[in-house]
Every structure is written in structure tokens, then in C-alpha cells.
Amino acid sequence: MKLFHNAIFYRPSAEEPVCRAMLVDNSKIIEMYAEKPNLSGIEPVDLQAAYIYPGFIDTHTHSFEGGLYLLGVDLGKAIDLNDVFQILAAAKTLSGKVIAYNFDENRIVEKRFPTAAELDRIYPDIPVLLRRIDGHSCAINSCAAIKINWEKSLPAGFSGVLRGSWNSQASHWFHLDLNDETILLAYNRAAELGASKGYTTIHTMVGDVRSSQNHYPLLQGNSNLFPLEYILYPQNFNLDQAMEFGSSRIGGCLLADGSFGSHTAALHLPFDDQPDNRGMLYHSNDFWLQFIRSAHTAGLQVAVHCIGDRAIDQILKCYETVQQESPKDLRHEIIHNELTSDQMLDRE
């Protein structure tokens, strides 16, 4: 056993006595003391006046994508396109692909994405993904554009930049065809980052709308490999599979719209800098109502990504409808909501 002392221990209530020492046996707290006790046979650990808190819990993460990108190329410090190209040229491939993240066109001199032709000069034969910081737009090279089996034709005049459903399909394609070792490495890298920030539990979305849930059983069978606890949620529209896994929730970032930075957040009024653009709703009202009603009936909590007020309004109406039809304490969620009216906040 160990006696941790000389620290400021967090106490949930100011009425409780100050804690100045804590006895721990195999990671379990045995006793907390107002003063350091004299105990024999116990290893003392001087924490040198550090602040000690219970482990933090993050209730919404994309640990696979976050870990995978941390293994890739960080473009956050690039100041111009020449910086971007130099960083990309020195990149290591992941399963034969180049994955770059944290790009923000507003931070660089040119104020734009690189084109497919510019990326082709660096990697003519290796697929390249350059993803915007918000994840809702990206740039790819011609090699990637050829390899991806698009659900619908690329936009007219395609020059390498993708938004909306094209961005989702492109980025998801880069997440596929990875071996189990790479997948576990990505989750472990994310877990290491979380643990370094004081997190002991992370709720993570697993999978996406297009890809399978093969990560779910892989993570369940290898949970002992990570330095923190993962709580898993299937992120797709497959209700039967969610229940088969024993999950109580489905979704997370099931997209009702995009983001402000990519001008794809669904708004009731147009963007100030794009007066003809009110963003986009990714699915119809009927689509969402059918899915949410089925999940509600099955007893699954639903979590949907909504940024703009038009998307929030769309999903709120569905939640209200199914709750009125069949009241349940499932507490369906709006994830990331950024633009709401006072009336929306007052709705129950």
C-alpha cells in the first residue's frame, strides 16, 4: 500500500474536512486523512504540493480518428502553402496513405486549400487526405479521387476540395483497409493523450455511417491494452447491431448538418459572407423521424450532431414527436449545438 501526502486533494464538499493524505492499495482508495498519519509498513509518496482530482470523464470523443490523425501529419503550424507542401513531403504513410489534419485555410497566407494538382506534384501515386480542422471539409489528390468509389459524381469543376457528403465519404475511405495493429495503435495513441490530461474514462464513437463496426468487438477484446477505460457507442444507423453489442445508445456524430467553418451548418438565415448559402441538411425530416422513432421504441438513446439552428430545429421536432407518442426517460441528445434561439432552449 502507498500513502500519498503533501498535496491538495479535491473534496466534493467544502463542509468535509480538509484531506492531507490518502491511503491507496492497488489503485483503490482505502482511506483519506485530515492529517498525515504515522503508518508502519506503508510506502510514503510525497506529491510535492500537487493538486489531486478524481479522474476526468470525457463523454464525447472520436478516439479512432483522433488517434489516427495523431499518427499522421499535423498542419496546425503551417503559415503558408509552401509550409504545407514541405510538411506533407516529409510525411510517413499509414497503410499506404498520407493523412494530414488540423489544416485551417484562414491561418495561412493564401487563405485557401491546396488543389489536387498541387498535391499531385508531391504524391502522384499515393492517396493524400488533407482534412480541415473542423473535419467538415478536406482536400484530396487525384490518386485518391480515382480510387474512391463515389456514391455520386464529384462536383462540377472539382479541384480537390470537398464538403458535405463528399467530404464524409472521402475521409471515411481513408479510415478503411487498416489492419488490427494500426487500429489498436490509433486508439492507444488517443488513450495515451487522454490519460496525460487526467482522464480515466472516455466515451468514444465507434465506426461511422458507411463503415462496419469491426472496431467494436476488437476494442471489447483488447480493453486491457489501454491506459484508461473506453465506453463504446456504435456510430451508425444500424439499430439491430447496436442492441447486439449491448449498447444503450446509438449515434454521437450522426450528422444532421456540417459546420460554420466549412459553411455547411444548416441555418434559417444565410451566412453573412455567403448571402445565397443557408448551409445544408444532410437528411430529410422523414428519414430522421423514422430512425429516431425506431431507436426510441427499442429503448436506445439517440445522439445527433447539429450545429446550425435549422438542423437543431429539425432534430428537436423529431425528439418531441417520439416522446409525445411514447414517453420514455431516454434523454436523446443534440451534440455540438452552436446556434440556438431562446425559444429552442426553452423547449422540453
Side-chain angles (χ1 to χ4, degrees), residues 33-111:
Y33 303 94
E35 299 293 339
K36 180 187 174 184
N38 293 318
L39 302 175
S40 61
I42 304 296
E43 178 187 352
V45 180
D46 188 339
L47 296 176
Q48 301 179 4
Y51 285 82
I52 308 301
Y53 293 88
F56 300 127
I57 298 174
D58 193 326
T59 59
H60 182 86
T61 68
H62 300 266
S63 296
F64 169 64
E65 291 88 342
L68 184 66
Y69 292 160
L70 288 172
L71 298 173
V73 185
D74 185 355
L75 298 176
K77 295 183 179 180
I79 62 173
D80 56 28
L81 284 176
N82 187 54
D83 270 358
V84 171
F85 300 146
Q86 288 184 9
I87 295 170
L88 287 174
K92 295 181 179 179
T93 61
L94 292 171
S95 297
K97 302 171 182 176
V98 172
I99 297 176
Y101 72 102
N102 208 18
F103 175 76
D104 187 346
E105 73 278 16
N106 298 309
R107 291 180 183 169
I108 64 172
V109 173
E110 295 84 355
K111 305 296 182 185

Side-chain angles (χ1 to χ4, degrees), residues 69 113 129-132 134-140 148 150 152 154-155 161-175 210 255 258-259 262 264 282:
Y69 292 160
F113 280 82
L129 171 71
L130 184 152
R131 202 158 191 203
R132 194 180 188 279
D134 61 6
H136 289 274
S137 53
C138 68
I140 61 174
I148 297 172
W150 299 102
K152 59 181 180 180
L154 287 171
V161 182
L162 299 170
R163 294 180 173 83
S165 61
W166 290 290
N167 164 71
S168 297
Q169 187 176 356
S171 57
H172 293 158
W173 181 84
F174 274 84
H175 300 164
R210 292 172 176 81
L255 302 181
S259 72
S262 295
T264 51
Y282 283 20

Side-chain angles (χ1 to χ4, degrees), residues 143-259:
C143 179
I146 292 171
K147 289 180 177 291
I148 297 172
N149 184 23
W150 299 102
E151 295 174 357
K152 59 181 180 180
S153 300
L154 287 171
F158 168 72
S159 63
V161 182
L162 299 170
R163 294 180 173 83
S165 61
W166 290 290
N167 164 71
S168 297
Q169 187 176 356
S171 57
H172 293 158
W173 181 84
F174 274 84
H175 300 164
L176 299 177
D177 300 324
L178 302 174
N179 58 35
D180 288 354
E181 181 181 3
T182 302
I183 293 169
L184 291 173
L185 187 63
Y187 279 102
N188 195 61
R189 181 67 185 86
E192 289 175 345
L193 177 62
S196 73
K197 303 298 183 181
Y199 290 91
T200 56
T201 303
I202 286 180
H203 296 225
T204 188
M205 312 302 111
V206 178
D208 56 61
V209 176
R210 292 172 176 81
S211 66
S212 71
Q213 292 289 307
N214 64 312
H215 295 192
Y216 208 104
L218 179 66
L219 292 173
Q220 287 179 318
N222 291 277
S223 60
N224 61 308
L225 299 179
F226 308 118
L228 47 69
E229 179 186 9
Y230 272 128
I231 295 178
L232 313 177
Y233 296 108
Q235 185 176 244
N236 64 12
F237 294 106
N238 192 330
L239 300 174
D240 292 337
Q241 195 173 59
M243 290 186 289
E244 179 185 337
F245 289 144
S247 178
S248 60
R249 185 173 85 163
I250 189 166
C253 269
L254 297 177
L255 302 181
D257 67 345
S259 72

